[in-house]
Amino acid sequence: MIEKLNLQEGVALYRLLADGSGDIVVKTDLKGYIVDASPAIAQLGFDVSTNAHVGVHLLDLVGEEGKSQVAYAHGNAVAGGEDGTWIEVAAHTPDQRESWYRFRARALRDESGEVYGAISLMRSIDEQRELRDQLFAATYTDSLTCLTNRSAFVSMLEHMLGSEMKGCLGLFSLDFFRSINMKYGQHTGDAVLRVFADLLREMLRGDDIISRIGSERFAVLLPRTTAEQAEAICSRVVTTLAERRQKVGECEFVITASAGVAQISHDLDSTMERAEMALFTAKAKGRNRLEMERRDRPRFVAAPSATGQMHNRRHDD
């Protein structure tokens, strides 16, 4: 329990803590060792009744990544700094769960104005972070396939270009998708999209980034991948899809896809245009195939032919 505070401590505490009994208030000496704390420190596994927290260093309350920030904030406070800037740090609860707090520290001064320690406030922000994560997911996730959406894809491609990270972009388009929707209904069409999304998750590497960027169109960012490696990876996707007879609800048929691959270079528009042209070429040459971007000469890989009631229709999807 926080002991009786002198006037300066009371003023510092009031400025830090207006309300919120769940806030952790910690009093430390000049070196950062805990002298006293509010009962809420029990959230971090300390037994308040036995003063188990006394003598524990302030840095022991937070995770490794937050230690340098907390050390700086405490050092600034005991040096007489008055800014008391809020920082966000993670702490580990007794059940090994990561819990997030906003942290700030202010100097404690005696009656002569000499700094003799600091008083710090840790305020839980788990609920705010959860809401923030949910908003992020809603903003950048395709709700049907649970892949990232076009906005997220553009941001990640721009990041790769800005950091000059080498790699390739693969664009996929499900063949005759409009015909599937027309004949079997949108519910079946949605199921087909999820089937293909699952195949991409199954066949691509952990570092690859998969996005749904349009109705039946998918994009794959392949970091640190050569053109030859990207060709092999994306070709396997096209081939595997064509070899599997998919059962979607009461329907069973072959699903195929066309693909275009380009190296990530120059700028976003250039990268997209080269991948789009390769995809267009794959469709023009009969679909169910992969085309690489055009360099000195056209290169392509054709998947084994697959027959199915969707594959032979003439609609351009």
Side-chain angles (χ1 to χ4, degrees):
M1 190 71 178
I2 290 288
E3 298 168 352
K4 184 177 179 180
L5 304 175
N6 64 31
L7 178 61
Q8 287 76 19
E9 290 179 343
V11 171
L13 176 58
Y14 180 80
R15 294 174 65 187
L16 281 169
L17 184 58
D19 53 19
S21 59
D23 294 340
I24 302 172
V25 183
V26 179
K27 179 182 173 183
T28 54
D29 61 18
L30 289 172
K31 293 183 178 180
Y33 288 97
I34 297 174
V35 177
D36 202 358
S38 66
I41 199 170
Q43 298 171 23
L44 302 182
F46 293 97
D47 186 348
V48 181
S49 64
T50 61
N51 290 327
H53 54 280
V54 175
V56 175
H57 199 278
L58 182 63
L59 299 186
D60 294 330
L61 303 184
V62 298
E64 287 297 326
E65 293 183 359
K67 290 185 186 299
S68 60
Q69 292 176 284
V70 170
Y72 177 83
H74 182 269
N76 183 63
V78 297
E82 294 294 333
D83 57 335
T85 304
W86 286 104
I87 58 176
E88 292 189 6
V89 294
H92 294 284
T93 59
D95 59 1
Q96 302 303 310
R97 180 178 59 86
E98 189 176 68
S99 186
W100 283 85
Y101 293 85
R102 293 183 74 202
F103 174 95
R104 71 188 301 188
R106 287 193 183 276
L108 289 172
R109 300 176 185 272
D110 60 24
E111 293 181 358
S112 66
E114 193 74 21
V115 176
Y116 65 90
I119 190 162
S120 303
L121 175 66
M122 295 176 65
R123 176 167 290 167
S124 175
I125 56 170
D126 281 343
E127 185 175 342
Q128 294 95 314
R129 285 180 66 91
E130 184 178 350
L131 290 173
R132 188 190 312 169
D133 291 344
Q134 290 174 355
L135 178 61
F136 179 87
T139 303
Y140 293 105
T141 303
D142 173 59
S143 59
L144 178 64
T145 62
C146 295
L147 299 174
T148 51
N149 61 18
R150 186 177 185 87
S151 295
F153 160 74
V154 169
S155 295
M156 290 182 286
L157 178 53
E158 287 178 335
H159 172 74
M160 289 183 65
L161 288 162
S163 60
E164 298 183 349
M165 183 188 298
K166 300 297 183 183
C168 291
L169 164 63
L171 293 182
F172 294 87
S173 177
L174 290 173
D175 297 330
F176 308 107
F177 181 70
R178 192 178 308 162
S179 300
I180 295 174
N181 268 340
M182 290 174 62
K183 181 169 183 177
Y184 298 101
Q186 185 175 343
H187 180 75
T188 297
D190 289 348
V192 168
L193 293 172
R194 287 191 288 267
V195 165
F196 187 60
D198 290 342
L199 177 67
L200 290 173
R201 291 189 187 94
E202 173 190 334
M203 301 201 64
L204 296 180
R205 307 165 305 174
D207 290 342
D208 298 333
I209 301 164
I210 313 166
S211 305
R212 181 186 174 206
I213 61 172
S215 173
E216 82 295 350
R217 293 164 63 81
F218 295 78
V220 176
L221 296 175
L222 305 162
R224 296 171 290 274
T225 304
T226 66
E228 289 73 19
Q229 290 170 331
E231 182 177 5
I233 292 169
C234 294
S235 179
R236 282 198 299 271
V237 172
V238 173
T239 302
T240 302
L241 181 66
E243 290 175 344
R244 294 183 181 180
R245 194 165 186 85
Q246 306 291 345
K247 182 173 179 58
V248 181
E250 298 299 319
C251 307
E252 184 174 315
F253 46 77
V254 172
I255 305 169
T256 66
S258 302
V261 175
Q263 289 183 308
I264 297 172
S265 60
H266 303 301
D267 54 39
L268 188 145
D269 288 340
S270 170
T271 301
M272 287 296 296
E273 181 181 359
R274 286 180 280 112
E276 291 273 11
M277 285 302 300
L279 176 59
F280 175 82
T281 303
K283 285 178 169 290
K285 289 187 175 181
R287 298 180 174 83
N288 187 31
R289 64 192 299 125
L290 176 144
E291 288 279 341
M292 299 298 291
E293 64 178 314
R294 188 180 183 93
R295 294 293 188 176
D296 296 332
R297 60 186 178 82
R299 301 171 60 205
F300 67 90
V301 177
S305 60
T307 58
Q309 44 199 334
M310 290 296 100
H311 182 64
N312 294 322
R313 291 187 178 271
R314 300 177 58 85
H315 296 288
D316 185 14
D317 295 296

